[in-house]
Amino acid sequence: MTAILKVDNLSCRFGSLWAIHNVSFSVERGELLGLIGPNGAGKSTLYNLIAGAVSPTRGEIIFEDQRVTNLRSYEIARIGVARTFQIPKPYRQLSSVENVMLTAFQHEKSVGGARAFAAEILTDVGLKDYIDAPVTNLTVGLLKRLEVARALAMRPKLVLFDEIMAGLTPTEVGTMTKFVGSLPARGITVIWVEHVLYAIMKTASRIMVLNRGEIIADGVPAVVARDPAVVKAYLGEEMAFA
Amino acid sequence: MTTLGQLVLSGIFIGGIYALMSMGLTLIFGVLRIVNFAHGEFLMLAMYGAWAITKMLGLNPYFAALAIVPAMFLFGAVVHQVIVRPALDKPHLVGVFATMGLSILMQNAALMVMTADLWDVPPIFGRSVEVGPFYFKAELLLGFAVTILCSLFLQWLIRSTYLGKAIRATVQDGEAAMLMGIPVPRIFLITFASGSALVGLSACMMMPLFSVFPTVGLNFVLIAFVIVVLGGMGSIEGALIGGMCLGVVQSVSSYYVAPAYGQMFYFVLFLLVMIFRPNGLLGQKGAATIGIND
Amino acid sequence: MSAANTHQSQSTRFLFWPRRGSQISIFEMAIFAGCIAVAMLGLSQSLKDIAVLTFLWAGLALAWNIAGGYAGLISFGHAAFFGVGAYTSTILFLRFGLTPWFGIWCGGLIAAGFGAALAIICARLRGPFFILSTLAAAEVVRIAAMNWASLTGGPEGLSIPPVAGVTNMVFASKTAYAVMMLVFFACVYVVTKSLEGSRYGYYLYSVRDDADAASAAGVNPVLVRTAAMALSAGLTGIGGSLFAQYFLYLDPTFLISPDLSFQFALLAAVGGLGTAIGPILGSFLITPMSELLRSYLGSHAAGLHLVIYSALLIVVMLYFPSGIAGAITRIAGRRGKS
């Protein structure tokens, strides 16, 4: 298995603050990598760097053996990297299916075809009842699922999930966890930032911990969970995992 | 060399007066997060008011300020209640169109009532003040002095009074401010009305130096926006610095650029600032980041 | 469908009418039939004049809407494109004898170029600063037109000789002009409708609603905005050329004024932004009123009609932000139709 994503000495500075500092890692094709860390650790910045929304100060990002470090976000989207936004950013004047159609247009050029495909994806994530609803009618939990649908409608090779569980009931968390877990089998590599730790600890094959812009742990969930540095970083947070 | 010095200094002084005109705008933008497209027309209205009082009562515009400033405060309060407040909880587009509509309304109402002619007030001091090798119109120096006093007063108000703290709290987080018991809607009202009053004051300072006509607002509103963007949204000091910079640039270049194209100059400058420095000289939140989705 | 699909209750939820794809409703077809009748009927000269202008403005409002309504690029400087189109075709005709039938396309193209340039220059600007930049840019164009006398005739403007003839695109009868403007209107309408339900329309909506999300979906916001502005500007420029052929006199003070720019936005906003029918309704309502007002009040009410319209705009935007079209939808929705 070759690495689908390789991040090499990546650093990003805002003013005098290093949001990301000398981060290096690689992600194998078909992996489900969990990315955790306390607030302010730099997870969103890392996503923004990979997805092309922000340019790094130093370092390289390589996707499928192609140097993508300074590509714009729409260029990165077009080569197969999808992302969700931590605070959902739906197109407010459109309906749910239209929101998803936008991303579907990447590979489905007809309006009718895109709509049908988008409706399918929405059904997959459990939004069947909201297909034609204006997105302003949706609650935060539903909007997060919409984010997932939008990302998947791209038929991405790599998807970056950003806290998609927030606001979900325990049952919904269970369904969503199973769903995310099924993605690698469909050929989609997943990086998953999440605060709902038990979901991610159960499903991910590997966990990376980010703190203050640096990777402090990288390995199998059980090992990472017991790592004293990780526990210290979370300082007082109880980590419950199945 | 003296010419350059003369140009630079008079640029600083007039720039200060421009800054006074812009302080209201930056305050309103900083607190309410809306752009008052009718800002130039507020200035126009106040200028007509100052002119009228001067003409009818034989006073000079500086005395007229005693009436104009409170009148503009009231006018601002009314506009806020009737037009701005209903627009605040709606998409930004609504506020844009509403204040734009107000701008056109005021321009054309002025056209109807006052005709398109240019009106002036007679010179008040009638002579220039000599400062070393330079000569400045007394009205210019007085206007600049008022500007400095006003900024100091505003600084004090914002830093030391409860109202100032309430305003700063509202700027940082309106919801939190409300939860802390700060009457945010009233803060909005006071801010908007005060911004309007500041415009009124600057109109009285500007009346001895400029003519008034129905579309005079258009020129000055772009100057005001350049200053606000240069200085950073919501910053009084920024407006002052931005104003003085703009004044110097305008003064120096209108000496060397053909007069027919002089008017175009403001607009080109505005576009240049938008292109190259949308985040302001001081790098604060500026035109590139304040958006419709904010 | 389930409860989740019931229409929104607040007027502010949907500023723009939900699209129904590129289907042309019976209502819209009836409107066009009516227009054709009006154009052909033997009405009085002044009524014909109103018809000519109403059709022109409907097309212009639709053109503005492509940028302002669909792409979210609110421009208060569109008169610049209007003027550029008018001047281009007129200068080509007066200087080089180029027939306006060809000249209008040149006008449209140059105006489109201006539109693209504006969009690129202002690519990083958001919200009110973009709007102000359009104002500033239009003023730059106006002042250039006023002062570049060797090209544009300066403040005196340009006159097209009133010699009727098909090659000159100058007609003796107003009916011919009414038909010409109606064709323009219909063409812009077709362009709008095709865009509305197409993939490209959706690119416009996505960039309008959330440019960052659109970018993450593979859409290039700068390219989309530039294309929308260029298209809108180009159509507006063609309208300007047609107007020049009707009015036969180009006056820079009127042609490229903020008041004229305001009118484009006014018609679209009052009628209903982001819909095809909105700008049409706006124009059909306001243009005849405007002309009638002007003829009744004459010259001692210079500006009165704009006072009325700006007041109207304020009221509409504060209380009916989705315009007339949106209000009709809501009423129809409440009565149970879908």
Side-chain angles (χ1 to χ4, degrees):
Chain A
M1 283 205 289
T2 50
I4 191 174
L5 178 75
K6 202 156 111 59
V7 168
D8 198 16
N9 251 320
L10 198 64
S11 300
C12 184
R13 187 175 61 177
F14 294 121
S16 54
L17 174 72
W18 286 102
I20 289 285
H21 192 57
N22 285 340
V23 164
S24 300
F25 64 93
S26 64
V27 183
E28 299 295 316
R29 208 177 289 272
E31 245 195 298
L32 205 171
L33 170 67
L35 180 59
I36 64 175
N39 279 325
K43 308 189 290 289
S44 289
T45 310
L46 185 60
Y47 268 13
N48 282 334
L49 287 166
I50 297 175
V54 169
S55 280
T57 319
R58 276 200 317 249
E60 299 291 334
I61 305 171
I62 295 155
F63 180 74
E64 289 194 324
D65 297 322
Q66 193 190 344
R67 196 176 157 272
V68 300
T69 320
N70 287 311
L71 288 186
R72 311 252 179 94
S73 46
Y74 58 88
E75 292 168 312
I76 298 211
R78 286 179 196 171
I79 59 174
V81 179
R83 67 163 305 174
T84 68
F85 289 95
Q86 188 181 349
I87 301 176
K89 289 161 75 72
Y91 308 118
R92 295 194 164 273
Q93 311 284 351
L94 304 184
S95 64
S96 302
V97 70
E98 288 172 326
N99 265 264
V100 180
M101 274 160 76
L102 246 314
T103 337
F105 280 134
Q106 278 276 65
H107 56 85
E108 185 65 54
K109 296 306 181 188
S110 81
V111 172
R115 195 185 187 290
F117 184 69
E120 260 180 58
I121 303 262
L122 282 170
T123 313
D124 279 350
V125 301
L127 286 175
K128 185 164 172 212
D129 289 335
Y130 298 92
I131 288 182
D132 283 304
V135 291
T136 43
N137 283 358
L138 301 186
T139 63
V140 173
L142 295 173
L143 283 175
K144 291 216 169 236
R145 276 195 256 174
L146 183 66
E147 287 278 317
V148 172
R150 284 205 310 193
L152 294 176
M154 205 192 287
R155 290 221 189 105
K157 297 175 184 159
L158 169 68
V159 69
L160 312 172
F161 284 138
D162 201 344
E163 294 186 33
I164 54 178
M165 301 292 211
L168 265 56
T169 68
T171 331
E172 289 168 336
V173 168
T175 325
M176 188 56 94
T177 309
K178 275 207 203 83
F179 180 73
V180 174
S182 71
L183 292 177
R186 287 159 60 169
I188 301 173
T189 310
V190 177
I191 304 182
W192 190 2
V193 164
E194 196 51 68
H195 273 310
V196 180
L197 293 173
Y198 68 86
I200 205 174
M201 290 299 196
K202 249 194 331 187
T203 333
S205 50
R206 172 181 155 214
I207 301 275
M208 226 166 62
V209 185
L210 208 60
N211 188 30
R212 301 219 188 138
E214 294 179 347
I215 301 182
I216 61 173
D218 185 351
V220 167
V223 170
V224 166
R226 295 190 212 308
D227 187 331
V230 173
V231 178
K232 184 172 166 214
Y234 273 94
L235 258 178
E237 259 194 43
E238 296 261 306
M239 291 184 13
F241 46 90
Chain B
M1 205 51 225
T2 347
T3 326
L4 192 61
Q6 171 83 33
L7 289 171
V8 169
L9 282 171
S10 42
I12 289 180
F13 294 142
I14 192 71
I17 300 182
Y18 289 155
L20 183 63
M21 165 191 59
S22 318
M23 280 177 199
L25 190 66
T26 201
L27 211 59
I28 290 174
F29 200 96
V31 176
L32 284 87
R33 292 254 175 270
I34 59 150
V35 171
N36 178 15
F37 277 91
H39 185 84
E41 280 63 46
F42 278 43
L43 179 75
M44 181 253 310
L45 177 70
M47 281 174 84
Y48 272 122
W51 174 86
I53 291 184
T54 306
K55 181 122 172 125
M56 291 191 302
L57 298 180
L59 299 170
N60 68 46
Y62 301 113
F63 278 118
L66 292 171
I68 295 287
V69 172
M72 286 307 290
F73 185 89
L74 235 84
F75 180 72
V78 169
V79 168
H80 174 86
Q81 292 297 96
V82 173
I83 294 181
V84 174
R85 206 167 54 125
L88 282 177
D89 58 349
K90 301 203 171 65
H92 276 232
L93 221 62
V94 173
V96 166
F97 272 99
T99 54
M100 198 66 186
L102 181 63
S103 161
I104 301 276
L105 196 157
M106 287 172 74
Q107 279 180 44
N108 286 280
L111 183 64
M112 279 170 60
V113 175
M114 306 298 292
T115 80
D117 294 338
L118 276 64
W119 302 106
D120 284 290
V121 294
I124 296 133
F125 298 111
R127 58 180 172 79
S128 295
V129 173
E130 202 181 316
V131 179
F134 307 118
Y135 288 86
F136 302 111
K137 275 179 149 170
E139 293 89 346
L140 187 64
L141 293 175
L142 185 56
F144 185 71
V146 169
T147 303
I148 299 292
L149 282 172
C150 206
S151 343
L152 290 172
F153 173 70
L154 283 173
Q155 297 282 55
W156 169 81
L157 194 80
I158 295 212
R159 291 234 161 111
S160 316
T161 63
Y162 175 75
L163 176 64
K165 292 202 179 98
I167 289 177
R168 277 187 290 149
T170 312
V171 170
Q172 288 190 18
D173 192 331
E175 265 184 54
M178 250 198 303
L179 291 172
M180 294 284 136
I182 292 175
V184 169
R186 201 180 306 166
I187 298 286
F188 284 166
L189 175 63
I190 293 177
T191 308
F192 196 89
S194 304
S196 177
L198 278 169
V199 169
L201 181 62
S202 71
C204 296
M205 299 301 119
M206 287 167 79
M207 201 57 228
L209 299 164
F210 297 98
S211 315
V212 63
F213 49 95
T215 50
V216 73
L218 191 56
N219 272 333
F220 289 119
V221 82
L222 280 174
I223 292 180
F225 274 103
V226 174
I227 292 175
V228 167
V229 173
L230 278 179
M233 233 64 77
S235 161
I236 301 282
E237 318 82 73
L240 197 55
I241 295 175
M244 294 195 286
C245 289
L246 183 103
V248 170
V249 174
Q250 183 198 28
S251 174
V252 170
S253 60
S254 53
Y255 186 72
Y256 299 109
V257 168
Y261 289 95
Q263 235 202 342
M264 188 159 90
F265 174 78
Y266 299 144
F267 304 103
V268 172
L269 179 68
F270 179 79
L271 288 170
L272 287 174
V273 172
M274 289 292 110
I275 299 169
F276 295 111
R277 265 277 177 229
N279 275 318
L281 289 171
L282 310 178
Q284 298 176 356
K285 233 179 181 198
T289 47
I290 300 292
I292 262 184
N293 292 322
D294 272 14
Chain C
M1 301 250 19
S2 71
N5 282 344
T6 52
H7 72 90
Q8 63 288 349
S9 48
Q10 292 172 32
S11 66
T12 52
R13 282 289 177 81
F14 255 114
L15 197 63
F16 312 136
W17 203 350
R19 277 151 323 288
R20 291 189 191 137
S22 24
Q23 304 136 342
I24 301 181
S25 70
I26 298 183
F27 183 49
E28 288 162 346
M29 286 200 279
I31 290 184
F32 271 101
C35 290
I36 296 176
V38 168
M40 308 296 250
L41 277 176
L43 297 167
S44 75
Q45 285 296 83
S46 54
L47 283 179
K48 285 272 181 195
D49 180 62
I50 292 178
V52 170
L53 291 173
T54 305
F55 295 153
L56 174 67
W57 275 104
L60 291 171
L62 280 171
W64 185 91
N65 184 51
I66 292 177
Y70 290 160
L73 298 166
I74 308 288
S75 150
F76 279 100
H78 254 55
F81 308 131
F82 188 69
V84 162
Y87 272 107
T88 305
S89 66
T90 305
I91 292 172
L92 287 173
F93 178 57
L94 293 176
R95 286 276 179 88
F96 304 105
L98 183 68
T99 166
W101 293 100
F102 199 69
I104 60 173
W105 300 104
C106 299
L109 239 99
I110 305 239
F114 271 66
L118 182 68
I120 292 175
I121 289 173
C122 301
R124 278 194 295 167
L125 301 180
R126 298 280 176 267
F129 291 94
F130 177 81
I131 299 172
L132 279 166
S133 301
T134 62
L135 245 160
E139 281 295 287
V140 169
V141 173
R142 183 182 65 81
I143 293 172
M146 289 273 270
N147 288 301
W148 198 351
S150 57
L151 181 70
T152 64
E156 288 93 49
L158 295 174
S159 290
I160 298 179
V163 177
V166 179
T167 35
N168 302 350
M169 211 196 248
V170 175
F171 307 117
S173 81
K174 295 222 181 205
T175 305
Y177 279 114
V179 171
M180 180 172 83
M181 296 303 187
L182 182 57
V183 170
F184 170 68
F185 168 28
C187 290
V188 180
Y189 176 73
V190 167
V191 169
T192 301
K193 275 304 223 186
S194 333
L195 190 62
E196 200 182 61
S198 78
R199 177 158 60 102
Y200 301 103
Y202 280 105
Y203 290 159
L204 293 184
Y205 312 143
S206 70
V207 168
R208 171 193 71 196
D209 287 348
D210 199 314
D212 292 331
S215 195
V219 177
N220 180 348
V222 174
L223 187 65
V224 166
R225 286 198 175 113
T226 306
M229 200 55 150
L231 179 62
S232 174
L235 291 170
T236 306
I238 293 178
S241 299
L242 293 177
F243 179 75
Q245 295 302 127
Y246 176 64
F247 205 62
L248 299 177
Y249 174 53
L250 274 66
D251 169 11
T253 321
F254 161 71
L255 215 58
I256 313 187
S257 63
D259 287 349
L260 198 70
S261 290
F262 175 68
Q263 201 152 333
F264 292 100
L266 169 75
L267 296 182
V270 166
L273 282 169
T275 73
I277 195 72
I280 298 177
L281 290 176
S283 174
F284 280 22
L285 174 68
I286 293 183
T287 316
M289 253 177 26
S290 171
E291 295 304 309
L292 287 171
L293 256 176
R294 219 181 292 208
S295 55
Y296 279 134
L297 296 170
S299 56
H300 47 229
L304 176 64
H305 67 287
L306 272 169
V307 169
I308 295 178
Y309 295 132
S310 37
L312 176 69
L313 179 68
I314 294 174
V315 168
V316 167
M317 284 319 278
L318 290 178
Y319 301 106
F320 306 98
S322 0
I324 300 175
I328 294 179
T329 321
R330 265 185 301 134
I331 296 173
R334 256 186 240 138
R335 291 220 185 111
K337 297 188 215 158
S338 70

